[in-house]
Amino acid sequence: MNSAYTGAAEARPFGCYDREQLGEIRSRIEQLPAIAQEYARQQQLSGQFAAREAAVPLSGLGVFRVEPFVFKVPAGAAFLKLAIHVRGQGVARTCGVRLTHSQRGLPVALINGSFGEALNGWTQMPGSGSTIVLEQLSGSGSGLQPSGVTPAGDVPEDHVRSVRISNTAEAEWTVLRYEELLPVCAGDYYGIQTELSLEAPLVNGGIYTGVTFLDSAGQPLGLERLSPLFNRPTLTNWAYLLEAAGADANLYMVSGEEQYAGLAKRKLQYMLADMRLGMDIFRRDGWHDDDTYGAVHIGRGLAATSVIYDQIAGSGVLAAGETAALLADFRYIAAMMMDTAYYRFDLTTFPDEKGGKRSNWNADRATGLGVYALLFPHEAESGAYLEHARSVIDWQLAEVVDAEGAWPENVRYHGAVLHRYFLFFALLKRLRGIDYFRQPKVKAMYRFLIGIVTAEDIIQGGPSGAPVLLTPAVGDANVQEQWFRLLGYAARFYVKEDPQLAAEMIWTWKHGGAPVQDTGAFPLPLVALLYPQPDLPERQPALRSVHYPGIGYVIFRGGEQNLQHYAIYEASPLTYHAHHDEGHFSIWADGIPLTLDAGTGGYYNGDRHWHVSGAAHNVVQFTGETGDLLDGPLQSVCREVCFSEELDYAKSLIPDARAGEYERHFLFIKAGFDAYLVWDRIEGGADSVWNLHTLSTEAEVTEQAIDAIGLGGMRLSAHIAEPALPVITTGEGAVGGAYPLAAQQHFRVHGNAGEDYVVLLHPRAAAAPALRLEPLECEEAGEGVRLYKIARADGVWCVAAINGSTMTRCIRVPGGVPLRLLGTAETALAGGAEAGYTAAQAAEARHSQAGLTVLEDSEADMLYLEPGTIQIAVLKGFERV
């Protein structure tokens, strides 16, 4: 047994824990059910990999890659056929192909694309000396994605069915043709994902995917189109082994059995060698799609492998030569991370999204170096590396993280960066006594994660589980990403420093499903065992409507404890990750998601055409010269925000080049209505469409309304006040989030050039009556001014007054009834800073009252409308709800 477990004086100290804490760690696993469950999962993962390692070399555990080929369907094409070409001497394997309609993000069903029915439906065209054999392989299941790894917790399948193609001569060319005729839409983008494996490059050749287009009569249109050549070995990528190696090291930590240290050692040796090879190519050739060898992923891997080495270094399984070789590999990798020919961390601006001081890549690169420096303190360069890492993080906290604590990309990268910061900060505090958790921006990053939570989602909670809070999908993110685990990891560091924050972190973590497992790419299995502390006190945070101007999120909340109704609106000054989603909104009501951001797909597999497009979001799109719908701008200007007990409001300028001027007004009418009103003020420009996605499979469409039947017995009604008698077209598109529906219904309301859109969105239970929307005639209104009555079934109503003109107007509401405006200064700041509003938000809300005039009793049926404004008024005396 290792001396670390015998108490010998010469035992090597651990970095993340000490020998005295090993007993405490074992007790946590025994006494805390969530930690016990996670440890059992890691035991299973380690065992499954160990069984395969006994039969297959590490290099052969994960040998398949998914190679994408994205293309545009030419005019006149109605069908396509697929083929796999293998040219040159050598052996290639394929597990088949998948086809995606890229502009909708949806898979195209193939009868036998993955050889589930052997080679039925495939025509075999071998070279003169070639063989084609269907075989079962022990080892990996789904292939490694470009810019991604096997997700955390995924385990290789016992057997994988593949086709082995062997060419015996350089001139041989073997083709597998898939004979199913696949319908396609001319002018749209599609993507083929071919799952393939090469032990070694083919001599004088490579692998191609071929596409042949056919017209409606089944006749070929031109020559077969071939993908770029693929001809590189696909041995197991380092990232495929990372989580299993961490699990091995944790089993050694708990049990002291050297067999687990031996398993971790072998993986560690393989991973570091593979990192070095890939980094050399990355440095030589520059960035490419296989970015698991780029600075962002190597930074994460360097931190994780440093922890693994630290756990097993004193176990006795490492011979002196093996230790020296591993230390040399670590030195090489760390030195490369400081090489600007590998990554330009010295640039303050982005040469592209893969460079610069501001990038999340640099955060992960620097924290990886920092963790290495802390765990290898006797290395000659460790002091310089640690100083560099701290300087990068200090600069990013000061210059990149905004005043509200948001990492200015999206929720996904906020979580990713905060996660990599976490281990570095935990080790700094433990080993050097340097406490970054006290830093105001770090605390703000955790508060931001709390502040953006959605309504408690009933669908994600499942039929027997409690509803769970989610982080919203905005831009390059998906709602199922479990970032609340970060709150569970870090809360213990705030128990004394900021007990209220610690309690709010624990409450949010638990109401977010209390995730413990470190999920996603490049997990750190150790943090899931060491840091969560479920027995800490919890306290519900004050969740109210809030604006995060730096990242561009406007969040509207209502209902019981503000956890019932939720909408998030995008009005961002940023262009990160290039989603054309300015003005998009997602809505939950009564805990049910009704319309969602499409989320994010793979970076290179073809469905990204959909997920980044304006068509995938609830935005207005304008037509181009040829009549095609174009994507809008990547950033917008939030002009006004107002929050109150009865009305929340946001207005943003969306500088679309196809419109003369375009403003979107988004209102959440509470006060007993719980509906959303959207006014798109459009001056001039081209024809347009108003996109609406509903998480539904059925809908009733009439001349002026869409009534979508959603999940959980809910409906979303869209009452279209403007334009009159529009053309409404329907379709569907992919949506992320692990919901029962993989696609949302997609409605397009078509408008002519210069026409506004006015739409009332009413979420409601299926049995509840819909709100009624009708125009109010007002002779004195003048051009550009419109009045609409929004009425409940019980007769209670409010008036929406819109002034689309350039002049201030004073109008009398028909009927002569006394009115009271919603959202006036009287209620806009109820509660003030203690109610959850920051000083900056309060000042912003006061400023936004300029266009909302409080009515005097003597003129209570009059409305004063500033140019380009919208106001909501109710009967005077109507009780606020």
Side-chain angles (χ1 to χ4, degrees), residues 643-644 824-833 835 837 841-846 849:
F643 301 132
S644 75
T824 62
E826 177 185 1
T827 58
L829 301 178
Y837 301 109
Q841 290 161 353
E844 179 181 32
R846 289 189 195 95
Q849 301 305 312

Side-chain angles (χ1 to χ4, degrees), residues 791-866:
R792 299 189 328 207
D794 61 2
V796 175
W797 54 269
C798 65
V799 171
I802 296 172
N803 183 5
S805 74
T806 58
M807 300 175 60
T808 300
R809 298 291 178 82
C810 177
I811 61 170
R812 187 177 300 276
V813 177
V817 293
L819 298 175
R820 175 175 61 82
L821 286 182
L822 301 184
T824 62
E826 177 185 1
T827 58
L829 301 178
E834 67 275 11
Y837 301 109
T838 67
Q841 290 161 353
E844 179 181 32
R846 289 189 195 95
H847 175 72
S848 70
Q849 301 305 312
L852 301 175
T853 306
V854 182
L855 302 179
E856 301 294 338
D857 288 341
S858 59
E859 48 183 9
D861 60 346
M862 301 290 292
L863 291 178
Y864 296 89
L865 306 177
E866 299 291 334

